[in-house]
Amino acid sequence: MKILGLDSSGLVASVAVVEDDVLLGEFTVNYKKTHSQTLLPMLDELAKMIELDLDTLDAIAIAAGPGSFTGLRIGSATAKGLGLALDKPLISVPTVDALAYNLYGHRDIICPLMDARRNQTYTGLYQFEDEKMQVLCPQCVVGIDEIVAKINENNAPVVFLGDGVPVFATYIEENCKVPYSFAPAHVNKQRAAAVAALGEEYYKAGKLESAEEHKPEYLRLSQAERERMEQHGNS
C-alpha cells in the first residue's frame, strides 16, 4: 500500500510517501514561504528523487485540520486536485492526531500544542498502549489553562510538542504540576510522514472519502467570520 501524505496545516510544509510501513521519501520545510509556493514543487521534487509514478498511489492522506485557515485551504485544494486528477481516494487525518503520532510508542502522555492565538491552543491528549494510539482527549481548541489543568488532573508524566511549545513554555513551567518534557527538534513539528503512516491505519479501517467529499476541519470560525458575527450582534 502506497500513501502520499500532505501537511500544510501550520508553519511547516511537508510531503511524504509511505509504502507498507517504509518511508520512501519526505520533504519538509519550516521557513518563511507560503505553502502555495512550496507544496506542489516539493511533491514534484520528491517524486523525481524516488522515481514515483503518482498513478501507483493507493490514496492521498491530508492533514485536515485544525490549523492555519490559509494553510488548510491550500492543503485541501492540493489534495482534492490530486485526488480528482488521479482518481484516488483521500484520507482525512486530524492534524493534532498526526502530530501526536510523531511520538509513536512514547511512554508518557502526549500533548500536542498548536498556537491558535488569543492564548488558545489546538490540542488533545494521547497515549500509546499495545502499539495503538489511544485518544484520551480528542483534538479541540481550548485555553492553555484548560489543557494544563486536565494534564494535572491525570497526574501522569507528559511530553509536549508543536509550534505552541515556545508560545506556552513559560505558562507550562509555572503551572504544570506533573513531570513534563519537550519533544526534540526532529519530531516536534508537523511531518507528512506521520500523516501518511497514520493515514495507512485509517485506510485499513476503511476511513476513506472522495475528493469531492473532503473539506477541512477548522474547529472554530475564522477571525473574519467572528468579526462579522459580532457586527451582526451589535447591529
Side-chain angles (χ1 to χ4, degrees):
M1 185 185 306
K2 191 179 293 182
I3 306 291
L4 169 66
L6 303 172
D7 196 327
S8 59
S9 60
L11 299 175
V12 172
S14 188
V15 177
V17 177
V18 170
E19 183 175 16
D20 299 329
D21 294 324
V22 176
L23 176 60
L24 299 182
E26 183 178 28
F27 198 148
T28 299
V29 174
N30 182 14
Y31 197 64
K32 304 171 185 177
K33 290 187 178 181
T34 62
H35 298 327
S36 59
Q37 293 176 295
T38 56
L39 209 57
L40 281 174
M42 286 163 59
L43 174 57
D44 183 56
E45 188 64 27
L46 179 62
K48 290 177 183 175
M49 291 293 290
I50 64 173
E51 299 179 350
L52 172 67
D53 179 354
L54 293 175
D55 285 321
T56 64
L57 294 171
D58 290 289
I60 300 159
I62 174 69
S68 156
F69 282 68
T70 300
L72 291 176
R73 291 187 184 111
I74 291 168
S76 175
T78 302
K80 287 167 76 75
L82 289 169
L84 288 168
L86 300 169
D87 192 25
K88 303 293 182 182
L90 268 56
I91 308 168
S92 185
V93 178
T95 301
V96 181
D97 291 30
L99 193 49
Y101 210 67
N102 279 354
L103 300 182
Y104 181 95
H106 201 287
R107 66 186 182 281
D108 296 340
I109 290 176
I110 299 165
C111 181
L113 296 173
M114 295 173 63
D115 183 15
R117 309 303 170 100
R118 296 187 175 188
N119 221 33
Q120 289 194 314
T121 176
Y122 297 119
T123 187
L125 295 176
Y126 305 83
Q127 191 168 33
F128 284 92
E129 295 179 1
D130 300 324
E131 299 185 354
K132 293 290 183 182
M133 187 170 76
Q134 308 297 324
V135 180
L136 306 181
C137 172
Q139 64 175 22
C140 55
V141 55
V142 297
I144 184 61
D145 56 332
E146 292 182 55
I147 194 65
V148 170
K150 190 179 289 288
I151 288 168
N152 288 337
E153 288 173 10
N154 285 335
N155 196 30
V158 62
V159 55
F160 295 98
L161 72 160
D163 61 33
V165 166
V167 178
F168 301 118
T170 299
Y171 185 91
I172 291 168
E173 291 164 2
E174 294 175 352
N175 295 277
C176 191
K177 298 176 182 177
V178 301
Y180 65 86
S181 60
F182 299 119
H186 63 294
V187 287
N188 70 3
K189 299 291 192 302
Q190 284 91 334
R191 288 187 61 182
V195 175
L198 187 53
E200 189 171 356
E201 296 301 312
Y202 275 46
Y203 188 103
K204 293 173 183 176
K207 297 180 181 179
L208 302 172
E209 60 187 5
S210 67
E212 292 90 344
E213 292 171 322
H214 174 74
K215 58 183 180 181
E217 185 176 354
Y218 297 115
L219 285 192
R220 72 177 187 183
L221 299 175
S222 68
Q223 182 176 344
E225 289 170 322
R226 290 196 302 271
E227 291 174 351
R228 192 158 51 243
M229 288 185 67
E230 289 171 1
Q231 290 174 354
H232 287 316
N234 295 330
S235 60

